[in-house]
Amino acid sequence: MTTPHLLVTGGAGFIGGAIVEQALERGWRVRVLDSLRSDVHGAPPVIDPRVHFIHGDVTVPADVDAALLGVDVVCHQAAKVGLGVNFADAPDYVTSNEVGTAVLLAAMARAGTDRLVLASSMVVYGEGSYVGRHGHARPGPRRTVDLDDGRFDPVDEVTGDRLHPALISEDDPLDPRNVYASTKLGQEYLTTAWARSTGGRAIALRYHNVYGPGMPQNTPYAGVASLFRSALERGEAPTVFEDGAQRRDFVHVHDVASANLAAIDFTETAAEQFFRAFNVGSGTVHTIGEMAEALSAAAHGPAPVITGEYRLGDVRHITASSERIRSELQWMPAVTFEEGMREFATAPLRAAVHR
């Protein structure tokens, strides 16, 4: 394979930075476009001197045009992430994620850059996959009255039986249930339209729960792993919502970065336009409560506290089948849950964000 000239949007961020690091280790030429948003970066990050860094915004056409000069392939990580504070965040999500992606794709069409790897998310599925008395089922949104009464698990709407969670595949129905999820699916649809219109080659990687060194702290947009880790650093017990039995697939950021490089390699070998989505998970299932317990134990901190609280936009269970990416891209995760949690319990986090 040739040595690509890679553009990583959001390359100064948590996942983007890990991708940049692995690309540099391969000897690739790397350019980064990042706006260094203050609600993401508590302090300006240190940029590797081997990187051509452009301080610019993916929603600004001139910035994107400049960043694409001479680029062979784009890894699009720039996005506003997380569930958000409330619906007032919606315009920022749509602008950052969907408008930013549209601006990038239009610029790629102008520049003739025809290879893209997109950071997508498990949130496009909504609730995970379930099995009931009559086979596979996809429950509707959870009801406030049930959550208030501590009934967190979805039930069969016909029989009332509790549904049992199963692994979700890329062929399962898409059902985004909050603003962030809607914009991530919007990014996928825009990318599909771009590939069909221009003959481009694109992969969307649907990340499951990513964690690891360099996660942002002290922000309402951070993932639950960062919130637990930040609490332990303050000497406080992690607070776990619902009953802690929510099933997730926690995947280490180094594995997510290697999945991106595998996807970039795959786009080079493809002979014609396509769009393909892949789940990116560890392949092992753990509960949020188990993750909090593992972090507390590794950090020698206070035991987690189960609060019974909930966020209406959250889903109960979602765990990945990563069979497609393993078979088609020959990608395998390298970091086990136990290894990753031991490392993450004391690993440095990104500087605190002051709001």
Side-chain angles (χ1 to χ4, degrees):
M1 293 185 179
T2 60
T3 301
H5 189 182
L6 171 66
L7 170 64
V8 183
T9 69
F14 168 48
I15 297 174
I19 295 167
V20 167
E21 181 181 352
Q22 290 192 18
L24 290 172
E25 288 173 357
R26 284 203 189 183
W28 292 3
R29 290 186 295 160
V30 180
R31 182 177 295 154
V32 164
L33 174 67
D34 201 300
S35 64
L36 303 180
R37 284 180 59 141
S38 60
D39 59 350
V40 176
H41 304 277
V46 176
I47 306 297
D48 190 297
R50 293 171 291 176
V51 170
H52 176 199
F53 178 75
I54 296 177
H55 184 191
D57 196 311
V58 75
T59 65
V60 178
D63 290 350
V64 181
D65 287 336
L68 282 170
L69 291 174
V71 162
D72 303 307
V73 57
V74 176
C75 191
H76 184 31
Q77 305 295 312
K80 185 179 178 73
V81 301
L83 188 59
V85 177
N86 53 47
F87 202 82
D89 282 332
D92 193 15
Y93 273 106
V94 172
T95 300
S96 300
N97 298 356
E98 295 193 73
V99 174
T101 299
V103 170
L104 172 66
L105 294 171
M108 290 178 67
R110 289 193 297 272
T113 307
D114 63 355
R115 297 165 58 199
L116 175 71
V117 175
L118 169 70
S120 188
S121 172
M122 65 178 187
V123 296
V124 300
Y125 297 112
E127 273 290 343
S129 184
Y130 291 83
V131 176
R133 185 185 304 178
H134 304 294
H136 282 278
R138 292 298 302 277
R142 296 189 292 174
R143 302 185 307 166
T144 301
V145 63
D146 292 329
L147 297 172
D148 285 340
D149 287 342
R151 295 190 297 271
F152 301 120
D153 284 299
V155 298
D156 188 302
E157 295 179 359
V158 176
T159 66
D161 295 338
R162 177 178 170 180
L163 296 171
H164 301 283
L167 298 182
I168 200 160
S169 79
E170 294 85 352
D171 295 325
D172 275 73
L174 304 177
D175 183 20
R177 296 188 177 183
N178 57 56
V179 172
Y180 170 58
S182 176
T183 64
K184 295 309 287 185
L185 185 54
Q187 287 182 298
E188 289 197 19
Y189 286 154
L190 286 165
T191 299
T192 302
W194 166 82
R196 289 172 176 166
S197 174
T198 66
R201 292 161 283 170
I203 286 176
L205 298 179
R206 293 173 179 164
Y207 303 155
H208 283 248
N209 289 75
V210 187
Y211 73 97
M215 283 193 83
Q217 61 174 306
N218 193 35
T219 165
Y221 307 102
V224 66
S226 174
L227 298 177
F228 292 166
R229 174 69 178 75
S230 298
L232 288 165
E233 191 158 294
R234 296 190 301 268
E236 301 170 3
T239 56
V240 181
F241 280 13
E242 301 185 20
D243 58 0
Q246 308 95 304
R247 290 161 54 98
R248 296 291 187 270
D249 186 323
F250 298 102
V251 58
H252 197 279
V253 67
H254 292 167
D255 287 331
V256 172
S258 71
N260 274 270
L261 268 62
I264 291 167
D265 290 340
F266 189 78
T267 63
E268 183 180 7
T269 61
E272 57 188 23
Q273 79 85 24
F274 71 93
F275 172 87
R276 189 75 161 152
F278 295 90
N279 290 334
V280 180
S282 70
T284 61
V285 175
H286 291 276
T287 68
I288 288 178
E290 288 170 346
M291 190 260 286
E293 290 171 358
L295 283 178
S296 291
H300 305 290
V305 175
I306 307 295
T307 69
E309 297 175 79
Y310 64 85
R311 296 191 303 179
L312 194 57
D314 279 340
V315 298
R316 178 59 173 173
H317 303 297
I318 181 163
T319 51
S321 167
S322 295
E323 178 57 33
R324 177 184 288 184
I325 192 170
R326 295 183 186 214
S327 62
E328 296 186 18
L329 303 192
Q330 286 74 57
W331 172 85
M332 289 282 289
V335 183
T336 67
F337 177 82
E338 292 75 17
E339 293 168 342
M341 291 299 159
R342 281 196 300 270
E343 174 205 36
F344 184 53
T346 56
L349 298 180
R350 198 163 288 259
V353 174
H354 300 286
R355 296 177 58 82

